Every structure is written in structure tokens, then in C-alpha cells.
Amino acid sequence: TDLDLIRNFSIVAHIDHGKSTLADRLIQLTGTVAQRDMKAQMLDSMDIERERGITIKANSVRIEYPAKDGKRYILNLIDTPGHVDFAYEVSRSMRAVEGSLLVVDASQGVEAQTLANVYHALDAGHEIVPVLNKVDLPAADVGRVKTQIEDVIGLDASDAIEISAKSGLGIPDVLEAIVTRLPAPKGDRDAPLKAMLVDSWYDSYLGVVVMIRVIDGVVRKGDRIKMMQTGAVYGVDKLAVLKPQMVDIAELGPGEIGIWTGSIKQVRDTRVGDTITSEKKGCETPLPGFKPAQPVVFCGLFPVDANDFDTLRDAIEKLQLNDSSFSSEMETSAALGFGFRCGFLGLLHLEVIRDRLEREYDLDLITTAPSVVFHLHMRDGEVLDLHNPADMPDLTLVDHIDEPRIKATILVPDEYLGDVLKLCQDRRGIQMDLSYAGSRAMVVYDLPLAEVVFDFYDRLKSVTKGYASFDYVISEYREDYLVKMSILVNDEPVDALSMMVHRDRAEMRGRAMVEKLKDLIPRHMFKIPIQAAIGGRVIARETLSAMRKDVTAKCYGGDASRKKKLLEKQKAGKKRMRQFGKVEIPQEAFISALKMD
Ligand code: GTP
């Protein structure tokens, strides 16, 4: 295809501003999918994504569009994930296209993820067309939002396109703008093959499917190609474009986007951002800036029913086929039995995976408190990654500990600013910037990631009644006074409850935990001390008094459905108690203690 007749673009938006609805409209208006096949949110292929309205895996569609100039154009839309956990994937896939539609909800205005995503687009050198969506809503304020786009982002919004993705108003203008305002790709058909690996996923019929953007050269069915980072060589068994269903194609040339398959065993072998070239006479230098996505948030996943361990292991293996950014390792815990220590890109990623395990594999899981990866600088000069507080070595061997810090951007209506500043301050935050866009404040904070994975999103939502938006990038690892806090029940340490905390916050966290446990552990015939300790030093203590005759049962917390399930399982005669020295603790107590509230 003639390069001048190709346009490659992505849509950047804050969650819920209408990215998927607009993509659906573009597909519909160009007749890419027959009307009867159109389902809402065509591009979000997994059920869970549709249900939660979150686009997790990048996806793509090729649209053919007859423009007003009488020519037929090929428009390639790459659907990028919208959430902060997937920032690396967003920034990579943006490099595969030349332009972006910046969609802003005209009744809401610019939000934190609008900013984060538009910065990725600008970094990638994109031409950007601002699109104001939802102009059908009475609350839409086009003038105000245009000013905001200019003031906050610094983009000219005078020729922003006003649309309603819902009603279809303005969609033809969007298609024309893609052709007239976004640049055509550049590339050399005669140069050695150079293509970017944009995304990959596991398909139960085809195996691993790899999406690529060709920069230079041509790839044909049957070619032998090489991944430059891994050095692996594969044959191209199938070459296709997504419309959005796969349609076979003989070749892909410069500027084109498509998928191929070749007996690749696991998604792990395909790294987003890797450069693909021919096995023989390939290109010499790979595309710049490759780095594999690294898990930053870790937690333990344990089956409530020990008999489910094998099911859990199989389920994790299956999910990993499709998501190489999620890691796992077997773990055993005296409190929780056999399970896995798993690593994720962020909290949302964790939640999505846990949900899929529970739903698609019908598992009932216990999740331990999420923690981040600490760097332990040992006295002997070695640097160790700590993924699990339970693995913390003897303190005397550790010189100092570095923790990951983030740069967080929060947009919030004026009246909640005070509460947001207080929350960030409480979480060891350092204010870096504060500015205004109309009646909304934009604050930038330097925060420890460890404090954010604890319950920051939930707190932020509740203090701002849901009006704040939040986004972050990991900025650096920095030293702080961090310690491992252990929990002891009747002088026996309970591994699943130990955590890394800042020394100044240890008393508070320790107090909260022992108080909670006091309500959760049933009384015994003797007194039970419940303690939080750092090394050998006790920092908080409660005592559970001995049982009196009239005390019959305890009522545990926890959400209703899970509690019901547990009760049913207990009825089945499988009441699970864990033994800690002389103390018996129901597993349910751990589940409740690990719940963040
Ligand atoms: P994520 O996939 O979560 O990132 O959201 P999104 O940006 O793709 O938003 P989506 O297209 O799912 O739209 C969010 C909500 O806004 C849905 O309930 C849509 O029906 C609604 N919506 C989208 N466009 C319009 C519009 O033009 N007008 C009105 N009134 N509602 C719209």
C-alpha cells in the first residue's frame, strides 16, 4: 500500500470519557463490521474487560475509509490500555503510530489519566487532534473544556472536534480529521525488515499471536524472522490484519500493522517493544528504548480450600500464557498453607488477575497484603530484591533499604484540596507542585509506592467523594527508615501477617493489627497475648482474656457472599483451623485481618 494512503493512530482518554464508544462508531460508520455483528465495545474482547469497562490488552483494528478527496485510506487504530498500571505498554504502543485522538468528556474536563496519556503521546512525537465527547449532555461545557485543554495540556483546542460518540454526531468529521490532520507513516520498502512488537496474546486455536508495526522492509507469509532481544527465530505461519476479526494477507509493508503466528510456545518469549527482523540480512540496530515490564507489586495468593491448590497452579499457568508481566513462585505459609507469591504491574493488575482466577476457575482465594519490591543493600555490598516481608534477612546484615517512590498527579475540585493534601502528607508524601485549572487543583506529589498500594485509591476516593483523579509513574528507589513488623500470637510469629513499614508508622499499623486480631481470634481456656514487634522489641500489645463459660461463638467480619461460602464449606464438615503453638486460629480470621478497611 502507498504510504500516503495509511494513517496509524491511537485514542487517548481518561477512563469513561468514551474511548471505546468512539472506536465502535468509527468501525460502524466505515462498515468494517456488518451491522448485525456489531456488539457494544467491540474492541474489549474479554468479558471481564467489558464488565469493568477497562481495556487491559492493547487491541487493534484496520478500517478502510473513502475520504472526501476521493481516495481510499487505510486507518489503523491501536487501542491502548488506559490505566496507570499499564503505563509501559501504553508508551510502547504509542510508538507504533503517528497520531492520537485526544478524547475529553465535555461534561467532565481534563482528568489525571488524560494528562498521563497525552504526555505519552507527545513523547512519542504524535500529532494530536482534540475531540470533545458527550456534547449531547446538558452538563457539557465546550468552551470551558477547550480552555482547560489549552491551559493544562498546552494544546491548541480552537479546532477541537465536537462529538457525541453515543448518538454518532460528528463522527464523519473525526474520520476526515484522521486523514487530513494526522501524518502518513514513513518507511523504506527496500530496506531490511524492521518491525516493532506492539502486543502479543495467547489464542487457544492459534497459540501465541504477535501484533507488529512494520517500520521498514516487508514481511511475507513463510518468511523466517528473528526477535532481536531474545535472538529467537520463527517462521511466519500466518499473516493477517484485524478487521477486527483476522483476515489473511500476503504481506505487510512499511507503515502497516498486522499480526502473525509461528509456533511460539509462550507469550513470555515475545517482549513488547522488541524489534523483529529477517533471520538473514536483517537490520543492524534495534529500535531504541526497549525494556521489559517489571512487576512492582507482590502479594501471596492462597486457596481457601487446600484441595484447590492444583487448580490454582493450573489456572495461574494458563493466565501467564496470556500475560507475561505477571509472575509467580510457590510459597508456603504456616497460617495459610500452600500458595503462590505473585508479582503484578500494579494494584489494578492484581485485582484483575485475582478476579479472573476466582471467576473463571471458580477458586476462593486469600490475598495477603500487597507489598512492593524493596532493595536491600547488604553490608557485604550485595543488593537483594525483597518480594516478601517473610524473607527479610537478619537486620544486622542489612546496611540500608531503598524503596520505590512515585510521582503522583492528582486533579481535584478545590473544595477537597485540603483533604487530599492531608492524605498525601499522612502517607509520607512530599509536595512537588500545586497549580489550578479553573476551579480544579492539580497537585504533584512524591510518594512511597508502598503507602499507595496499601489503600490509597480507596482513601482518595472517599475523601473526595469520587471527584479526584489520580495517576502515577515510578520515579526512583530511595533510602528510608524501613523495618519489618512481625505479628505474634501467643509468642508465635504469624508469617502471613508480617509487613514492611516505615519506622514512624510502625506503632500505628501494629496497634491497628493487634486490635483487629483481638476481635477475630476466638477465646481459649487461657490468656493469649497478641503482639506487634520489630526485631525483638514489642511495639503494640493486646491480651485476649480467657474464655468464660457463657461465651459461645464469635462473629467474624468479611463480606457477605464470601462469608456465606465459607459457612457452607464449614457445614460440609471442613472447618479449617490453623494451629499456632497452643492456639487454634480459624483461617477466616486471617482473611479478615488481611482485609484492608
Ligand atoms: P474505558 O474503557 O473504561 O477506558 O472507558 P472508555 O473511555 O472506553 O469509555 P466508554 O466508551 O466505555 O464510555 C463510558 C460511558 O460513557 C459509557 O456508559 C458510554 O455509554 C458513555 N458515553 C460515551 N460516549 C458518550 C456520549 O457521547 N454521550 C453520552 N451521553 N454518553 C456517552
Side-chain angles (χ1 to χ4, degrees), residues 13-22 24 41 44 49 52-55 82 103 105 113 133-137 163-168:
H14 187 74
I15 253 164
D16 276 348
H17 282 198
K19 185 172 85 168
S20 311
T21 314
L22 173 59
D24 287 352
Q41 310 226 332
D44 292 356
E49 291 187 13
R52 299 178 143 233
I54 302 163
T55 311
V103 174
D105 181 334
Q113 284 150 25
N133 189 28
K134 308 198 189 181
V135 298
D136 58 293
L137 292 177
I163 69 161
S164 166
K166 194 168 174 182
S167 76

Side-chain angles (χ1 to χ4, degrees), residues 68-138:
K68 290 200 179 126
D69 63 7
K71 295 179 193 154
R72 257 190 114 72
Y73 288 84
I74 288 178
L75 314 182
N76 287 306
L77 164 62
I78 289 196
D79 186 20
T80 55
H83 194 272
V84 41
D85 285 358
F86 310 100
Y88 173 71
E89 288 189 14
V90 178
S91 83
R92 284 321 305 178
S93 47
M94 293 248 174
R95 283 178 201 276
V97 298
E98 287 77 23
S100 287
L101 302 176
L102 167 65
V103 174
V104 182
D105 181 334
S107 68
Q108 300 287 325
V110 171
E111 296 286 357
Q113 284 150 25
T114 316
L115 282 174
N117 290 323
V118 85
Y119 290 149
H120 285 306
L122 290 167
D123 277 352
H126 283 190
E127 200 61 51
I128 294 171
V129 175
V131 175
L132 305 185
N133 189 28
K134 308 198 189 181
V135 298
D136 58 293
L137 292 177

Side-chain angles (χ1 to χ4, degrees), residues 40-59:
Q41 310 226 332
M42 205 57 230
L43 291 178
D44 292 356
S45 54
M46 289 192 289
D47 280 353
I48 186 161
E49 291 187 13
R50 189 165 303 139
E51 231 169 80
R52 299 178 143 233
I54 302 163
T55 311
I56 292 150
K57 265 288 168 202
N59 221 323

Side-chain angles (χ1 to χ4, degrees), residues 128-132 142-143 145-151 154-162 181:
I128 294 171
V129 175
V131 175
L132 305 185
V142 168
V145 175
K146 280 190 184 181
T147 315
Q148 232 189 13
I149 292 176
E150 298 189 340
D151 292 352
L155 279 179
D156 179 8
S158 58
D159 49 6
I161 306 171
E162 296 166 27
R181 289 166 64 179

